[in-house]
Amino acid sequence: MYEQYYGLKAKPFQLKPDPKFYFGSKGHKRAMAYLEYGLSQGEGFIVITGEVGAGKTTLVRNLFREMESENIVAAQIVNTNLDSDDTLRMVAAAFGLPYQDSSKAALLTGLEQFLRACDRQGKRALLVVDEAQNLSPRTVEELRMLSNFQTEDKSLLQTFLLGQPEFRRTLLSADMQQLRQRVIATYHLGPMDATETRSYIEHRLHTVGWQGDPSISTEAFGAIYDYSGGIPRKINTLCDRLFLMGYLEEIHGFGNSEVSDVIGDIQQEFNLPASEAESPGTPSTPEFGFKTETPSDLDSMDKRLSKMEKSVISVLDLVKQILSLASVRNLPK
């Protein structure tokens, strides 16, 4: 794989969120400040929105890493395309509580007992809900009701809601007034600018021991930004393919032409044949007609890509050995 070829300790542009690669852009630092402010308040809801792949999940995982685990019991749920009762089961499971075959009343009772036990131990409970744009209004209301678990002077549960921009429409709808009254801060995480995009790429490379091989020209960084728009996941996808191409073609310096070649390959792969192209008036879905990826989808995709890379590399190594052997045999006696 290209990590070994370029002397890297690990894969720098994996798709799955990893807090050790956290990069504090201006937007990410501000979003982190809001999350930390929310933690200091110990109550209510904090809402963070951002485009697909903007880095919301990595942001939260970095927050988990920095939190004092002995004082905060944190849980995260990411499968939110569920009804309200199943979401309660997900919350219970995330906190390590029994949930199978439990009635709604039993789930609520168990959650309240758990939260009160945390309070007696001097701990606070934090629930992070990812992909909040998939929540139905009824499910959002169910989560709001969990904030009613309180002692005489404080709330027993605090909730962070992370979602795509459309979640703002849900939040502003007429039936969300009670939830809005409990939101103590909101922030929209936008894309990085061109300078931050370059720093982001270099940060991920330095994290895995990059020593300047391969080199990346200023024009190449500019082309990566133009394609990705400063969205971390798009940057990762493009750079991963760029480094794989560099390995396969034994390239040690990336310029604008190499980036353009990879972009062309990606765009060609996602173009539908004319016979399958959408007819006028056919509704389109996000991201070239594919469904929005969930974190579990991305983990699976990352594993498939890794297997594909290994297969390609094995074939190439075999071809190189055959060519080398043929060259030796053809030497003059």
Side-chain angles (χ1 to χ4, degrees):
M1 299 171 74
Y2 68 75
E3 303 97 285
Q4 289 76 23
Y5 183 71
Y6 290 120
L8 306 176
K9 295 181 292 185
K11 191 173 183 178
F13 300 110
Q14 59 188 9
L15 294 178
K16 62 183 180 182
D18 188 336
K20 75 171 178 283
F21 287 107
Y22 171 74
F23 175 72
S25 70
K26 289 180 291 186
H28 287 80
K29 285 180 179 178
R30 289 175 183 172
M32 184 64 71
Y34 274 93
L35 293 176
E36 291 171 348
Y37 167 77
L39 280 177
S40 71
Q41 298 303 299
E43 62 179 356
F45 289 78
I46 301 289
V47 178
I48 303 291
T49 57
E51 298 292 342
V52 176
K56 301 181 294 296
T57 304
T58 303
L59 186 78
V60 169
R61 293 188 180 181
N62 183 66
L63 179 71
F64 282 1
R65 185 176 62 170
E66 294 183 352
M67 284 189 315
E68 297 181 9
S69 58
E70 66 274 13
N71 293 327
I72 297 178
V73 179
Q76 183 175 11
I77 60 173
V78 295
N79 190 353
T80 53
N81 200 4
L82 304 167
D83 62 30
S84 56
D85 288 353
D86 283 338
T87 299
L88 282 179
R89 292 186 176 89
M90 290 289 292
V91 173
F95 280 117
L97 304 176
Y99 64 93
Q100 293 182 338
D101 302 322
S102 296
S103 66
K104 181 176 179 179
L107 289 169
L108 291 173
T109 299
L111 281 168
E112 183 176 12
Q113 291 173 347
F114 169 77
L115 296 175
R116 294 192 180 281
C118 288
D119 181 62
R120 287 193 296 270
Q121 296 167 14
K123 299 179 180 180
R124 292 195 288 124
L126 170 65
L127 175 65
V128 178
V129 181
D130 212 339
E131 303 295 338
Q133 74 280 351
N134 295 328
L135 297 170
S136 67
R138 183 177 175 183
T139 302
V140 173
E141 176 63 13
E142 202 72 66
L143 292 173
R144 185 192 69 80
M145 293 297 290
L146 293 180
S147 66
N148 287 334
F149 292 140
Q150 299 179 345
T151 64
E152 292 182 358
D153 59 347
K154 59 185 174 183
S155 176
L156 293 174
L157 178 66
Q158 187 173 27
T159 304
F160 290 173
L161 300 174
L162 313 178
Q164 295 172 25
E166 52 264 37
F167 181 62
R168 293 171 129 188
R169 290 195 292 272
T170 301
L171 193 61
L172 294 173
S173 61
D175 53 354
M176 290 292 107
Q177 182 177 355
Q178 293 190 67
L179 176 65
R180 288 197 300 273
Q181 291 175 352
R182 300 195 183 189
V183 173
I184 60 177
T186 65
Y187 184 76
H188 180 73
L189 183 60
M192 297 181 289
D193 61 25
T195 300
E196 289 178 323
T197 296
R198 175 170 184 160
S199 297
Y200 170 83
I201 294 169
E202 292 176 338
H203 167 75
R204 294 187 74 98
L205 287 170
H206 285 306
T207 300
V208 295
W210 180 56
Q211 299 295 324
D213 180 25
S215 62
I216 306 174
S217 71
T218 300
E219 292 74 21
F221 281 117
I224 293 170
Y225 172 72
D226 290 340
Y227 171 79
S228 67
I231 298 294
R233 188 181 299 167
K234 290 184 177 180
I235 296 170
N236 290 356
T237 300
L238 175 56
C239 287
D240 188 59
R241 291 287 295 270
L242 180 65
F243 273 62
L244 177 59
M245 183 197 74
Y247 166 77
L248 298 177
E249 300 186 12
E250 299 183 347
I251 298 171
H252 290 274
F254 296 138
N256 183 65
S257 61
E258 286 77 19
V259 177
S260 296
D261 288 345
V262 174
I263 291 173
D265 289 343
I266 293 174
Q267 291 175 335
Q268 185 176 13
E269 291 168 7
F270 284 97
N271 282 337
L272 289 173
S275 60
E276 299 180 24
E278 292 181 335
S279 59
T282 302
S284 61
T285 53
E287 296 290 321
F288 306 101
F290 294 94
K291 69 182 182 67
T292 301
E293 304 99 330
T294 65
S296 59
D297 293 332
L298 294 175
D299 286 345
S300 177
M301 185 187 303
D302 201 40
K303 291 176 182 177
R304 292 198 302 272
L305 287 173
S306 179
K307 289 180 180 178
M308 289 172 64
E309 288 178 11
K310 290 178 180 178
S311 298
V312 171
I313 291 165
S314 297
V315 172
L316 286 172
D317 288 341
L318 180 60
V319 170
K320 289 179 180 178
Q321 292 174 16
I322 293 172
L323 292 175
S324 177
L325 181 60
S327 176
V328 171
R329 287 178 175 174
N330 291 331
L331 289 174
K333 305 282 186 180

